[in-house]
Amino acid sequence: MSKYEMLRKIEQKRSELIRVASRNGLNSSLAIQYSQELDALLNQYDQQDLKKDRTLNAFQSISSS
């Protein structure tokens, strides 16, 4: 999944969470579910970003040798 697609999914889930929380409260089971789904998307995004950084650092180490 591209960075743009991932950011779009994150923003969509964030909007859904805000909508659900404003209607049902932050402690509602649906708001908690959406919050956990948003957390999972953010973790996935971070992992992709870290993987890219590690690859770039490895390439830079090889290039400078």
Side-chain angles (χ1 to χ4, degrees):
M1 183 177 309
S2 75
K3 184 175 182 175
Y4 173 77
E5 291 170 325
M6 181 60 75
L7 290 172
R8 186 179 54 75
K9 278 187 159 188
I10 289 169
E11 183 57 31
Q12 180 181 2
K13 186 57 68 176
R14 186 184 70 81
S15 295
E16 291 172 357
L17 173 58
I18 290 169
R19 180 181 48 79
V20 165
S22 67
R23 287 185 183 162
N24 304 321
L26 286 173
N27 292 324
S28 70
S29 60
L30 193 55
I32 292 169
Q33 176 187 334
Y34 278 40
S35 177
Q36 290 171 341
E37 291 171 3
L38 177 58
D39 287 346
L41 287 170
L42 290 167
N43 289 336
Q44 185 179 354
Y45 178 80
D46 284 343
Q47 287 301 314
Q48 285 180 350
D49 211 34
L50 287 174
K51 190 183 299 183
K52 188 170 78 173
D53 285 347
R54 283 193 299 258
T55 302
L56 180 60
N57 289 339
F59 178 74
Q60 288 172 340
S61 294
I62 293 169
S63 297
S64 64
S65 297

